[in-house]
Amino acid sequence: MDRAIAWTEGRLSYQLEPLDEVARDLHRWYGLDIVVTDSALARLRITMTLDHATADDVVQRLVETRGVRYHRTGNTVRLGE
């Protein structure tokens, strides 16, 4: 499904998108403030589809996709720690 219309069905889809761009989308959709602590990590390419996911699901999928360490406090997620 095309990323441009996937959101209309409650789905976010990424194909080799930089993590920093994905983080901006997740802020708009879920109110998550994702802080990427390493510029190399920010450039990592992410491929995943989120289908009616909760904010907790999103964080788990994101860190599992690339094996990234994280720390979460409320709506702030620090990746790479």
Side-chain angles (χ1 to χ4, degrees):
M1 173 174 286
D2 186 302
R3 179 179 172 202
I5 61 170
W7 66 270
T8 63
E9 296 181 358
R11 184 176 299 118
L12 297 177
S13 182
Y14 301 98
Q15 294 292 330
L16 298 173
E17 297 293 328
L19 178 56
D20 60 346
E21 290 182 25
V22 172
R24 283 192 292 273
D25 273 359
L26 298 178
H27 176 72
R28 284 193 301 273
W29 277 90
Y30 294 96
L32 293 171
D33 293 316
I34 299 176
V35 179
V36 182
T37 61
D38 178 337
S39 61
L41 182 60
R43 293 187 303 271
L44 282 179
R45 300 292 179 156
I46 302 295
T47 297
M48 70 178 176
T49 299
L50 301 166
D51 190 6
H52 302 284
T54 67
D56 289 334
D57 295 337
V58 168
V59 172
Q60 286 304 310
R61 286 285 311 280
L62 190 58
V63 299
E64 289 171 0
T65 297
R66 297 306 249 164
V68 176
R69 292 180 17 189
Y70 76 101
H71 177 77
R72 181 173 180 182
T73 305
N75 284 340
T76 300
V77 180
R78 298 181 62 83
L79 298 177
E81 295 192 339

